[in-house]
Amino acid sequence: MKGWNGKLLRVDLTKSKNVVQEYSKDLAKWFVGGRGFAIKLLWDELKPGTDPLSPENMLIFATGPLTGFILPNSGKMVIASKSPLTGGYGDGNIGTHASPHLRKSGLDAVVVTGKAEKPSYLLIEDDNIEIRDASNIWGLDSYKAEAWLKKEHGRASGALLIGPSGENMARIATVVSQEGRAGGRPGMGAVMGSKNLKALVVHGTKELAAQDPEGLRKLGQEGFQTILEKSNYKWWKRQGTMATVEWCQEHGTLPTHNFQEGVFDEAQAIDGNTMEKMVTKQRGCPNCNMICGNVIEDSEGRESELDYENVTMLGSVIGLGDLRKVGTLNRMCDELGLDTIGAGSVIGFAMEAAEKKLIDLDITWGDFEGAKKLLKDIAYMRDHGATLGLGTRKAAEKIGGGASDFAIHVKGLECSAYDCHLCPGMALSFGTSPIGAHHKDAWVISWEISTGRRAEYNPEKADKVIEFQQIRGGMFESLVTCRFPWIELGFELEQYTKYFEAATGVKTTLDELYTLGDRVYALIRAFWVREFDGKWSREMDYPPKRWFDEPLTKGALKGKHLDREKYDKLLQTYYDKRGWDDRGIPTKATMMQLGLSKEAEELEKYVKLV
Ligand code: PTT
Ligand code: SF4
């Protein structure tokens, strides 16, 4: 089984034991890697109803068969678990040196269960696997803790770690690496903290075996060259994801003041052009020649690595029009290990709740010092932060008084930075994303707007959402490489089938990889339904209420809002095309077609399948 190492590491922190296991060939064949592995392992092994913050929950770090080879953008990894933020399936994708190192240690994945007696970190150095004492770095921010770990284990090693927010189990805590990479928005950092696990440090030196090493080497070389020759390359290197600020402002989709508006008066002050004048260096993931992390000096003279989501959620969403100050909030999130999207969303929510006098908090739109204080309070789960750190949905439920009407989330995961008052396709993407409101699976907004039919609810929008979910949510998350060469520069998708064949010796087609996406999606949906004990309805796939009920009051889109009836029809079209029933549950026939007959049987214990 070349390409795959065929082994995963299981660590039980309660018993302080670990074992390297060979996994079945079927797992590789049907679920490939990354997200595919994660959902299959969670489905098979996690007891339904497990408390996400209990020792029994499983925390999975999973690479794919392309990870770590010298191929374009192959330094990524999926981190997955049952989410303490949503109660369903959660994962994130992070670029980190830990990814190639894990593969070079002879492993494809690590599954962590249990809870260590005291703060610990997991060390993997090829076959040497140890659970080590982390008491001296527990409580440190992620920058300081990573610096200590690198000193101890060498700069070349890779580390994944949590900051204080993960230790305190803030539900919007993420996993961080390399001072500016983050992954696992649905509270993966809190799961790590609940296990007393501060970090995972990996150093692998073995050779990663491919079926056709020479062919793969050539393909990789050509791939890197093709990227350099793409017409968009130079523009990408200038602004990376930050070009999206200007684009969203122009199209009225830049979320502002907790998604009340789609334009921000001070957008220019936080956009990519402003950033270009401030950039001091660029950083990125391993095996990448189009690195996109733009570093600026923040308002306190420290480095901060910017991305579109970070800047918008900590800028326009909270009414802050000063890029260096936004940079400071962003840097704090990285240090504290807080997801910037979750953090910006709960702060925007808190500002609105304060304005409406639903909470006794002295904070107003754009209040930089107030936002700084809230970030710390959330990370340490104290004062108002103890409520807000539960995430927007739960905080709103606790606060009451109609606060849920302006809690911007789907299934408990805060929306990433796209206002959808007039983007039904993107709203459908948020509604049906397998982890809650994340743009990562189906970023259809650019297509939707550029076709000039953004206000329509036509069936092509459901098709596009599904196609993107197959490519981005299925294929890239399971092969585990960065999708940016394809979506940002137009790198050819067919190349990935060639990489797959040269790495594993298994011939595949894009259609087969799309079917893999459908399989992964059906099983993730089954997992949610099982975790909700069969109590599932289509309302779970609705976008935030605000986009239906509160029209925009500013800009060219003034007066626009989503139409509930039309959205519901579009959702039905989506279900029909996916072979899911009216509740949004895969039918028995769909499950069988995807090779999930055993899983369908299990699901029938919780809900009657159509
Ligand atoms: C991702 C989400 C995103 S998506 C961003 S910016 W983006 C935010 N980044 C954060 C951050 O930084 N610090 C922090 N404390 N919290 C953050 N939360 C937010 O998390 C990221 C890039 C980006 S930048 C994107 S879109 C692409 N995402 C990919 C993906 O999901 N899959 C894939 N196969 N390739 C991808 N390539 C791109 O990677 P989550 P990274 Mg991230 C600092 O994980 O949980 O999915 O949330 O991984 O290494 O930082 O690269 O405009
Ligand atoms: Fe990482 Fe950006 Fe390169 Fe993708 S393009 S691998 S996110 S640095």
Side-chain angles (χ1 to χ4, degrees):
M1 211 165 75
K2 294 268 175 68
W4 292 279
N5 283 312
K7 288 184 185 151
L8 57 84
L9 169 67
R10 290 185 184 271
V11 180
D12 182 335
L13 290 170
T14 306
K15 294 187 180 142
S16 204
K17 289 235 160 87
N18 68 74
V19 58
V20 173
Q21 270 186 353
E22 283 192 13
Y23 58 79
S24 80
K25 288 207 169 85
D26 274 355
L27 183 63
K29 180 174 172 198
W30 294 102
F31 292 93
V32 177
R35 178 182 263 179
F37 272 22
I39 184 55
K40 180 64 172 148
L41 290 167
L42 284 166
W43 176 266
D44 284 350
E45 298 176 20
L46 189 74
K47 191 164 163 256
T50 297
D51 175 351
L53 295 177
S54 69
E56 289 72 33
N57 197 9
M58 298 160 70
L59 179 62
I60 301 173
F61 302 87
T63 63
L66 299 189
T67 311
F69 284 118
I70 307 300
L71 293 170
N73 309 44
S74 64
K76 294 268 184 184
M77 176 189 299
V78 170
I79 305 173
S81 192
K82 177 175 171 182
S83 161
L85 183 61
T86 68
Y89 174 80
D91 73 16
N93 189 305
I94 187 167
T96 165
H97 288 289
S99 311
H101 275 302
L102 190 67
R103 295 268 286 159
K104 287 183 195 159
S105 299
L107 296 167
D108 293 329
V110 180
V111 181
V112 182
T113 51
K115 178 179 179 181
E117 208 174 288
K118 55 180 186 207
S120 303
Y121 69 96
L122 179 64
L123 176 67
I124 304 171
E125 290 173 316
D126 288 334
D127 298 330
N128 176 45
I129 295 155
E130 291 176 41
I131 298 165
R132 291 216 176 168
D133 185 5
S135 305
N136 60 327
I137 51 170
W138 194 257
L140 290 188
D141 72 50
S142 72
Y143 279 57
K144 293 197 180 94
E146 188 163 8
W148 185 87
L149 289 165
K150 293 266 172 144
K151 212 165 153 210
E152 191 76 2
H153 300 291
R155 285 219 62 75
S157 59
L160 290 162
L161 62 161
I162 54 169
S165 67
E167 295 172 11
N168 294 303
M169 291 178 273
R171 311 303 191 262
I172 54 171
T174 187
V175 178
V176 286
S177 186
Q178 297 180 201
E179 304 182 344
R181 308 274 109 203
R185 290 192 51 213
M188 301 301 101
V191 176
M192 206 156 149
S194 74
K195 301 191 173 305
N196 261 340
L197 184 65
K198 179 73 177 177
L200 174 65
V201 181
V202 204
H203 196 181
T205 60
K206 297 182 192 177
E207 198 191 331
L208 186 51
Q211 182 67 29
D212 174 9
E214 185 47 31
L216 196 65
R217 195 191 59 75
K218 252 185 92 195
L219 282 167
Q221 222 171 33
E222 285 164 14
F224 284 118
Q225 186 56 34
T226 306
I227 285 174
L228 295 179
E229 287 162 10
K230 288 285 174 190
S231 57
N232 217 13
Y233 179 80
K234 284 207 175 88
W235 172 242
W236 171 257
K237 284 295 290 170
R238 277 174 53 191
Q239 296 212 356
T241 58
M242 281 290 288
T244 315
V245 178
E246 197 182 357
W247 184 84
C248 279
Q249 172 78 351
E250 187 189 332
H251 294 286
T253 61
L254 189 74
T256 301
H257 295 158
N258 195 28
F259 291 76
Q260 294 182 72
E261 306 296 345
V263 286
F264 181 43
D265 292 342
E266 296 164 88
Q268 254 188 355
I270 59 164
D271 73 10
N273 301 318
T274 300
M275 179 204 71
E276 270 197 65
K277 295 178 204 127
M278 298 180 181
V279 173
T280 55
K281 61 166 115 155
Q282 291 188 313
R283 290 201 294 244
C285 313
N287 298 353
C288 173
N289 68 344
M290 50 179 283
I291 53 170
C292 63
N294 287 298
V295 179
I296 66 159
E297 193 177 281
D298 73 10
S299 61
E300 297 177 358
R302 302 173 324 154
E303 289 185 346
S304 179
E305 188 179 323
L306 304 181
D307 257 308
Y308 168 72
E309 299 295 330
N310 307 337
V311 168
T312 305
M313 296 305 295
L314 297 167
S316 54
V317 168
I318 67 166
L320 181 60
D322 178 323
L323 194 58
R324 292 203 194 274
K325 287 183 177 165
V326 170
T328 297
L329 299 182
N330 177 55
R331 161 95 188 208
M332 283 179 71
C333 283
D334 285 343
E335 285 175 336
L336 295 166
L338 280 171
D339 168 36
T340 51
I341 299 175
S345 185
V346 287
I347 292 175
F349 165 80
M351 287 174 169
E352 189 169 346
E355 187 177 54
K356 293 191 157 96
K357 308 225 175 314
L358 292 175
I359 49 171
D360 181 19
L361 179 64
D362 186 18
I363 197 165
T364 50
W365 297 113
D367 180 348
F368 175 56
E369 291 303 328
K372 273 169 67 179
K373 180 174 179 331
L374 266 191
L375 281 182
K376 278 213 171 132
D377 288 346
I378 290 168
Y380 290 93
M381 292 295 277
R382 64 190 181 206
D383 301 334
H384 284 290
T387 303
L388 297 171
L390 298 174
T392 316
R393 176 177 64 180
K394 287 222 175 95
E397 283 164 11
K398 275 190 118 177
I399 291 166
S404 293
D405 290 352
F406 58 90
I408 310 299
H409 69 90
V410 176
K411 301 182 184 70
L413 184 69
E414 289 75 15
C415 282
S416 26
Y418 301 94
D419 185 83
C420 294
H421 276 87
L422 193 66
C423 295
M426 192 63 211
L428 180 69
S429 159
F430 276 137
T432 59
S433 148
I435 58 172
H438 203 318
H439 63 289
K440 65 189 268 169
D441 281 56
W443 190 68
V444 296
I445 191 165
S446 158
W447 167 85
E448 179 170 40
I449 290 176
S450 65
T451 53
R453 296 162 70 192
R454 69 184 285 182
E456 293 178 19
Y457 293 73
N458 59 54
E460 288 94 314
K461 294 203 175 178
D463 283 329
K464 200 67 181 176
V465 169
I466 292 172
E467 182 195 332
F468 271 26
Q469 289 175 338
Q470 289 168 326
I471 298 171
R472 297 164 63 113
M475 180 179 129
F476 279 110
E477 294 312 309
S478 302
L479 295 175
V480 194
T481 65
C482 174
R483 61 170 185 257
F484 276 168
W486 161 69
I487 192 72
E488 299 294 348
L489 303 188
F491 190 76
E492 295 71 17
L493 276 181
E494 282 72 19
Q495 290 306 108
Y496 293 94
T497 61
K498 294 184 192 157
Y499 296 163
F500 185 72
E501 187 178 345
T504 65
V506 178
K507 259 195 181 314
T508 192
T509 61
L510 283 180
D511 276 347
E512 278 171 2
L513 291 172
Y514 295 173
T515 304
L516 159 74
D518 292 341
R519 183 176 306 120
V520 167
Y521 257 64
L523 193 54
I524 292 181
R525 182 49 66 108
F527 181 84
W528 276 92
V529 174
R530 187 171 74 174
E531 288 304 329
F532 280 70
D533 203 14
K535 295 175 193 70
W536 193 262
S537 77
R538 60 197 288 135
E539 272 76 42
M540 295 293 277
D541 292 335
Y542 266 51
K545 195 168 176 293
R546 165 156 281 167
W547 293 342
F548 292 115
D549 297 343
E550 295 175 44
L552 295 166
T553 70
K554 281 170 73 174
L557 302 184
K558 188 174 167 185
K560 302 294 184 202
H561 62 95
L562 289 180
D563 181 305
R564 193 172 264 105
E565 240 173 73
K566 288 183 185 163
Y567 177 84
D568 195 66
K569 227 171 128 195
L570 184 62
L571 181 63
Q572 187 58 48
T573 308
Y574 172 92
Y575 289 160
D576 292 344
K577 287 174 187 282
R578 274 220 169 277
W580 295 4
D581 69 19
D582 293 357
R583 301 162 297 177
I585 301 174
T587 64
K588 206 186 274 187
T590 301
M591 299 277 283
M592 307 287 252
Q593 233 173 35
L594 294 169
L596 299 172
S597 49
K598 248 180 50 215
E599 288 79 0
E601 248 173 63
E602 160 74 9
L603 187 57
E604 288 238 74
K605 292 184 197 156
Y606 299 84
V607 72
K608 178 120 194 65
L609 292 187
V610 172

